[in-house]
Amino acid sequence: MSQAETTLNVSSTSSDWRGVALSNFMLSPFSLDGALFASIEGFIQGIKFPEGDARREQAFVSSGWDAKHLGDTADRSGAYWKGQRLPYGSAEHHRLIERAIRARIAQNSGLAQVLASTAGATLVHSTGSEPESPTTSLPATVFCRILNEMRDELLSDGKVRPV
């Protein structure tokens, strides 16, 4: 990897297609706990709404800006999953999002290969709207930690190798 490629922005605005592919905005169906979701962004935004709220289901079948704008209508009082209310922005909330991200990558061998191909790069998440909002569901540091841990696991288990 050349010096210019040592940092990879994982974002829908990335100049590297791998960063775009790994971003939460991408339409990338996955299932978690028996439910199907269109994207990580839709999942992140949907869990902001209590179960039974129509916006929740609408977010779950959305991706990109559609999901993001829907989530902007939530009051961010909690994250709701399987009958539980998790404190918004808490470690439990972040672990739930991590489970979704892990499910997405595990269920898509192409994305696992893309993540492995970033070996040696420093993963960052910059959307151009710095500083990051204090009310973000998934801080950039948490998102990048999850991706780095998953990449290390993929490479260490030998099932996926960088190309």
Side-chain angles (χ1 to χ4, degrees):
M1 196 170 263
S2 73
Q3 185 64 28
E5 297 175 317
T6 58
T7 299
L8 178 75
N9 184 24
V10 179
S11 167
S12 64
T13 61
S14 181
S15 61
D16 187 308
W17 70 271
R18 297 171 302 168
V20 174
L22 292 167
S23 81
N24 294 334
F25 266 38
M26 295 308 300
L27 177 61
S28 182
F30 69 96
S31 62
L32 181 68
D33 296 340
L36 185 62
F37 304 93
S39 69
I40 293 295
E41 191 65 28
F43 177 82
I44 289 171
Q45 301 305 328
I47 62 174
K48 292 177 181 178
F49 300 102
E51 291 163 312
D53 188 311
R55 294 172 296 176
R56 176 184 178 90
E57 297 307 317
Q58 187 179 355
F60 287 164
V61 298
S62 300
S63 63
W65 286 108
D66 290 341
K68 178 75 171 163
H69 291 313
L70 193 59
D72 289 343
T73 68
D75 66 12
R76 292 181 167 89
S77 62
Y80 303 89
W81 191 248
K82 299 296 177 188
Q84 293 187 322
R85 182 191 169 280
L86 308 173
Y88 187 85
S90 66
E92 295 85 3
H93 180 200
H94 294 160
R95 278 194 296 272
L96 175 59
I97 295 171
E98 179 174 353
R99 285 184 56 227
I101 293 169
R102 286 180 171 276
R104 174 191 182 219
I105 300 293
Q107 293 165 28
N108 187 318
S109 61
L111 280 177
Q113 189 67 50
V114 169
L115 183 57
S117 79
T118 69
T122 300
L123 302 179
V124 298
H125 178 65
S126 175
T127 62
S129 60
E130 277 63 41
E132 184 174 70
S133 168
T135 61
T136 187
S137 296
L138 183 63
T141 55
V142 175
F143 181 44
C144 291
R145 175 193 55 78
I146 292 166
L147 292 176
N148 280 308
E149 287 175 2
M150 290 180 64
R151 179 179 63 188
D152 292 347
E153 292 162 11
L154 286 168
L155 294 171
S156 69
D157 73 11
K159 292 180 182 168
V160 177
R161 299 204 182 282
V163 277

